[in-house]
Amino acid sequence: PKITTNSRGELTNGNYVLDAEGMIKHTDGTVGKSQFIYDVDANKAVLDAAAYADEYNLWGPSSGNPLDFADKAKVFVENGPVGITGSGELTNYINIYRTKTGYVHGCPGNP
């Protein structure tokens, strides 16, 4: 879906709003945290992955409890790699986390 800016200046794909603060630690070079590769538009990748997770029903509760505060999904990116895991390995997976209020953030993840 098309990505726009909402009235609060936040990026959105119409269904989800990007949690920019949650994304920082995966785009700023923090050692020990998974990082998106420099030429990947991490914000677009996460919003697109969230839409893909909707389309293919990939969401599950973060804790195993369906009443949990947030859900998570793992999305394979065919034209990856998209990032480096916390252990330094290239990966084609994005882990996405959504809150019950519609905010999402994501990070490169293990298969």
Side-chain angles (χ1 to χ4, degrees):
K2 183 177 179 181
I3 297 172
T4 59
T5 304
N6 68 16
S7 62
R8 292 183 301 268
E10 301 165 315
L11 292 177
T12 180
N13 66 4
N15 264 349
Y16 298 107
V17 176
L18 188 74
D19 173 7
E21 188 175 324
M23 293 290 295
I24 291 172
K25 62 186 167 219
H26 300 291
T27 59
D28 68 356
T30 299
V31 176
K33 290 286 185 182
S34 59
Q35 297 290 309
F36 283 95
I37 296 174
Y38 74 94
D39 63 346
V40 170
D41 182 340
N43 297 336
K44 180 178 180 348
V46 167
L47 286 168
D48 287 350
Y52 184 90
D54 278 352
E55 186 172 340
Y56 292 97
N57 196 28
L58 300 177
W59 295 105
S62 293
S63 67
N65 176 356
L67 301 176
D68 193 13
F69 170 71
D71 294 330
K72 66 181 178 180
K74 184 178 292 287
V75 174
F76 177 77
V77 179
E78 190 170 306
N79 61 344
V82 294
I84 300 169
T85 65
S87 60
E89 299 191 27
L90 286 171
T91 184
N92 286 41
Y93 288 87
I94 298 176
N95 294 334
I96 311 153
Y97 305 91
R98 72 174 178 186
T99 66
K100 300 288 185 193
T101 57
Y103 280 86
V104 293
H105 81 277
C107 62
N110 293 316

